[in-house]
């Protein structure tokens, strides 16, 4: 059974720092991996989707990498801003049926 | 505006009183799913639907029912709610499956007393 883990559960950094969020999964037979952002009282917003054949995907200040063989993905946020404060979740897909989510990393960017 | 709409957003009710949480999407998506989010457990899938009249169980389906009579709607039914179903519920949709970018509703917070 696929298990997805995100460490740390919470992270607090000063504004302007570059930071990395980690995601690991136990079964490397994945179709793709998605990173989401969740703001308090809101649903999840899809940030990046990396296909299993890709190594990385970029959107603005965000860069996600995938190492399928080792079961790891990282989300790199450059020049962090207070508006980046949110919970970040990763999820893996092993087919069309469903996603398996990690528990998330709660990120706080201090001005 | 493309969106997934859940109703109600908040509900406090009592054990055993049947309730329905509605989910509607306006993007003509074939795939819809329900999740519950609990502290320390993350999001867990309850049910999903690949298309009209096609539904299947996720990881935690016990105590829930769903139906998909129209493409845009995917209601979640709790026929006899119990306190362990107190949770934050999310509906999501995508074009064809869970492997595609998901669009989430804003969530429904249910409290079962």
């Amino acid at each position: 059974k696929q298990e997805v883990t995100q460490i740390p559960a919470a992270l607090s950094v000063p504004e302007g720092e570059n930071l990395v969020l980690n995601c690991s999964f136990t079964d490397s037979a994945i179709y793709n991996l998605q990173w989401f952002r969740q703001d308090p009282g809101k649903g999840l917003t899809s940030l990046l989707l990396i296909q299993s054949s890709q190594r990385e995907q970029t959107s603005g200040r965000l860069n996600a990498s995938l190492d399928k063989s080792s079961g790891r993905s990282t989300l790199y946020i450059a020049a962090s801003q207070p508006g980046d404060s949110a919970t970040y979740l990763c999820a893996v897909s092993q087919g069309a049926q469903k996603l398996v989510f990690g528990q998330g990393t709660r990120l706080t960017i201090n001005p | 505006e493309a969106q997934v709409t859940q109703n109600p957003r908040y509900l406090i009710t009592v054990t055993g009183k049947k309730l329905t949480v509605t989910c509607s999407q306006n993007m003509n998506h074939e795939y819809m799913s329900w999740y519950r989010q609990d502290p320390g457990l993350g999001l867990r899938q309850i049910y999903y639907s690949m298309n009209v009249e096609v539904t299947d169980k996720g990881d935690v389906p016990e105590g829930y029912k769903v139906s998909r009579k129209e493409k845009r709607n995917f209601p979640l039914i709790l026929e006899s709610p119990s306190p362990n179903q107190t949770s934050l519920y999310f509906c999501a949709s995508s074009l064809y499956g869970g492997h595609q970018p998901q669009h989430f509703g804003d969530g429904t917070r249910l409290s079962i007393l």
Side-chain angles (χ1 to χ4, degrees):
Chain A
K1 180 184 174 185
Q2 179 74 268
E3 292 182 2
V4 181
T5 303
Q6 293 183 247
I7 296 173
L11 182 64
S12 180
V13 301
E15 181 179 2
E17 279 202 4
N18 303 325
L19 58 99
V20 173
L21 306 181
N22 297 298
C23 172
S24 62
F25 46 95
T26 55
D27 185 349
S28 62
I30 65 169
Y31 194 91
N32 61 34
L33 183 144
Q34 298 185 48
W35 282 94
F36 295 86
R37 169 185 173 134
Q38 184 177 18
D39 293 288
K42 291 287 190 180
L44 282 69
T45 301
S46 181
L47 296 174
L48 290 164
L49 184 153
I50 313 178
Q51 301 293 351
S52 63
S53 58
Q54 294 178 311
R55 297 285 291 186
E56 63 179 59
Q57 195 68 256
T58 298
S59 175
R61 293 183 295 108
L62 305 179
N63 176 277
S65 68
L66 174 64
D67 184 342
K68 197 175 76 162
S69 61
S70 69
R72 293 181 182 180
S73 176
T74 61
L75 179 67
Y76 174 84
I77 302 177
S80 58
Q81 304 170 357
D84 295 329
S85 297
T87 297
Y88 291 81
L89 298 102
C90 68
V92 299
S93 167
Q94 293 184 283
Q97 286 78 16
K98 69 176 187 178
L99 290 171
V100 179
F101 283 84
Q103 295 180 23
T105 294
R106 188 173 69 254
L107 176 65
T108 303
I109 308 297
N110 302 302
Chain B
E1 179 189 353
Q3 58 186 6
V4 177
T5 304
Q6 295 179 226
N7 281 296
R9 292 291 315 279
Y10 305 91
L11 179 63
I12 301 173
T13 188
V14 296
T15 299
K17 186 176 181 181
K18 180 179 178 180
L19 67 92
T20 299
V21 185
T22 63
C23 174
S24 180
Q25 50 92 6
N26 62 0
M27 296 166 280
N28 202 36
H29 285 171
E30 292 189 358
Y31 178 88
M32 298 184 75
S33 62
W34 277 103
Y35 296 87
R36 61 178 290 174
Q37 186 175 36
D38 301 288
L41 297 176
L43 273 90
R44 294 177 293 166
Q45 190 182 51
I46 304 170
Y47 270 94
Y48 64 92
S49 170
M50 300 298 290
N51 211 327
V52 175
E53 302 291 3
V54 181
T55 64
D56 208 345
K57 297 176 181 178
D59 294 322
V60 289
E62 296 77 20
Y64 304 94
K65 286 177 59 177
V66 293
S67 68
R68 188 91 182 274
K69 294 185 172 62
E70 311 163 276
K71 184 179 276 192
R72 65 183 293 124
N73 296 321
F74 190 43
L76 179 69
I77 303 158
L78 286 71
E79 294 214 324
S80 184
S82 63
N84 64 12
Q85 292 177 298
T86 293
S87 187
L88 180 58
Y89 291 85
F90 288 102
C91 178
S93 73
S94 69
L95 267 175
Y96 298 120
H99 60 303
Q100 297 189 307
Q102 302 291 300
H103 297 256
F104 278 79
D106 285 341
T108 295
R109 186 167 292 283
L110 284 183
S111 294
I112 315 293
L113 304 178

